[in-house]
Amino acid sequence: MTEVKPQKVAEKNKIRIKFRWEYFLIALLVLEFVTFGSMNPRFLMPSVLLSSLTDYMSVCVCALFGTFVMITGGIDIQQGAIIGLTSIVMGILWQSFGMNILFAALFAVLIAGLCGAFSGVIVAETNVQPMVVTLGGSFLFSGLAIAVTSLSKTESYKGISGFPTWFTDFFLRSVGPVPYQFIVYIILAVLAYVVLHKLQYGRKIFLIGVNKSTADFSGINSKAIIASTYIFSGLAAGIAGVMMTGYLGTAKADYGGDLTLSIVTAIVLGGTSNFGGKGGVVGTILSSLIISLLQFGLSLNGMNTQYLAIPVGVLLILSLIIRSMVDNGTFRGMFNLVSNRGGK
């Protein structure tokens, strides 16, 4: 019989620690609960915690499908502008044209999808950088939102209010401690996960992000797939606009203007590479919760809401640095070193 060397047996039985980005995000979540919970016990109350998340649902919803765009190697920074356009279009259709609020909301979301399609087709059919296209789209759709506001019977700074009570109540009610908005988010998250990770369409998105030329040679219609991710992103912004309007009870053109940083941070912090080809819905969900709880925890402990963008910006920079270290193998080497020492 062949003698098995002890060294080979030790290497075979050695437990290797495989670093996953989701583990890092879970650790951040735990750290937030421990830190903010010790600073203010109200942070750990389920009813308070879940109701606070409704303030940040727009970011969470937009980040879900903005992830699709970034995996293809693009970026969508116009979602905030589309939120405002959706909100004011829905308000105008209801107030000035007498449309049923549900049909007005649906029509506004469809317009948001068209906005995404407009930018997506330009990105897919030209060599213009997605950031430049969606930056132009951001200015365009913000301007359109202001132009549409002129059709309103009320001053733009007041917005459009007076929506049916049953409509606004939907975005304020909850099932036990769980708000309806959070339930809607869970449904959208499951849908995004299935589409991206379980369908062939999702595999095409990843392949395009890894190597677009290879995807083209494989028979994939890369242009159509890329354009469709921007449509999904636009529809998500439209849904976020409806949710924000119903929650606040007022339609305004400037909604979403300050959400771009948080949305991009949620996507990047979730592990989606800004170069494309890597990412996932689970990471985006975790990072969205991290950002939401970070802002809520800081505001709960006295930080002025005007300064909440500062920690989000810091988080974006740190996530890019840490992600670069992961891609370069720095963390993997550290984990393997710890594993090797533990196996001795």
Side-chain angles (χ1 to χ4, degrees):
M1 293 179 64
T2 305
E3 183 179 355
V4 181
K5 295 183 180 180
Q7 183 179 359
K8 291 185 177 181
V9 173
E11 291 179 356
K12 184 178 180 180
N13 295 331
K14 189 182 298 181
I15 299 175
R16 291 187 178 275
I17 302 174
K18 184 179 180 180
F19 179 82
R20 288 180 60 89
W21 186 254
E22 288 81 3
Y23 299 158
F24 171 71
L25 297 177
I26 292 172
L28 278 182
L29 271 176
V30 173
L31 180 62
E32 284 187 336
F33 276 105
V34 172
T35 303
F36 292 126
S38 61
M39 294 172 65
N40 192 327
R42 290 189 64 233
F43 182 85
L44 299 177
M45 296 174 61
S47 57
V48 174
L49 194 62
L50 288 172
S51 63
S52 71
L53 292 177
T54 57
D55 294 334
Y56 308 100
M57 272 300 104
S58 296
V59 172
C60 297
V61 170
C62 288
L64 278 177
F65 294 93
T67 301
F68 289 26
V69 173
M70 193 168 288
I71 291 177
T72 65
I75 188 172
D76 190 353
I77 57 176
Q78 65 189 12
Q79 285 180 303
I82 294 177
I83 288 175
L85 179 60
T86 302
S87 177
I88 197 64
V89 165
M90 182 178 68
I92 291 293
L93 290 175
W94 172 78
Q95 182 194 67
S96 301
F97 294 89
M99 187 178 290
N100 179 279
I101 188 63
L102 290 181
F103 287 109
L106 178 61
F107 192 82
V109 171
L110 291 177
I111 289 180
L114 289 176
C115 292
F118 174 78
S119 298
V121 169
I122 294 176
V123 171
E125 296 290 344
T126 68
N127 293 322
V128 181
Q129 289 293 325
M131 178 176 288
V132 176
V133 174
T134 54
L135 178 62
S138 178
F139 286 112
L140 172 61
F141 303 138
S142 294
L144 286 176
I146 295 173
V148 170
T149 307
S150 62
L151 299 175
S152 174
K153 299 175 183 177
T154 57
E155 294 83 353
S156 59
Y157 71 91
K158 291 183 179 179
I160 299 172
S161 57
F163 294 110
T165 304
W166 61 265
F167 175 74
T168 54
D169 283 351
F170 175 84
F171 298 96
L172 298 173
R173 290 178 179 173
S174 60
V175 179
V178 184
Y180 283 177
Q181 282 197 67
F182 194 70
I183 296 175
V184 172
Y185 173 66
I186 292 174
I187 294 172
L188 291 173
V190 172
L191 176 63
Y193 179 84
V194 171
V195 171
L196 185 62
H197 297 286
K198 298 299 181 181
L199 300 183
Q200 189 177 13
Y201 171 78
R203 291 192 288 272
K204 291 178 181 179
I205 290 177
F206 279 101
L207 181 57
I208 290 171
V210 172
N211 193 315
K212 185 176 178 296
S213 298
T214 301
D216 290 331
F217 283 121
S218 300
I220 296 174
N221 189 341
S222 298
K223 292 181 179 180
I225 297 295
I226 290 173
S228 68
T229 61
Y230 286 88
I231 295 175
F232 273 120
S233 183
L235 290 173
I239 294 172
V242 172
M243 293 173 68
M244 181 178 288
T245 302
Y247 179 62
L248 298 177
T250 306
K252 284 188 176 182
D254 58 354
Y255 282 162
D258 57 347
L259 298 182
T260 301
L261 174 62
S262 296
I263 294 170
V264 173
T265 302
I267 298 171
V268 175
L269 179 62
T272 301
S273 172
N274 54 311
F275 297 107
K278 294 181 180 179
V281 171
V282 175
T284 299
I285 293 172
L286 291 172
S287 61
S288 298
L289 293 176
I290 288 171
I291 294 173
S292 301
L293 295 179
L294 174 66
Q295 293 182 317
F296 170 64
L298 291 173
S299 61
L300 187 65
N301 288 281
M303 175 175 278
N304 193 309
T305 56
Q306 294 179 338
Y307 304 124
L308 290 179
I310 296 175
V312 175
V314 172
L315 197 59
L316 174 59
I317 295 173
L318 289 177
S319 63
L320 288 171
I321 294 174
I322 295 173
R323 188 68 199 182
S324 176
M325 294 174 66
V326 171
D327 292 338
N328 292 335
T330 304
F331 279 146
R332 189 178 301 275
M334 293 170 59
F335 270 78
N336 288 338
L337 180 63
V338 172
S339 177
N340 292 336
R341 287 182 177 179
K344 291 182 179 179

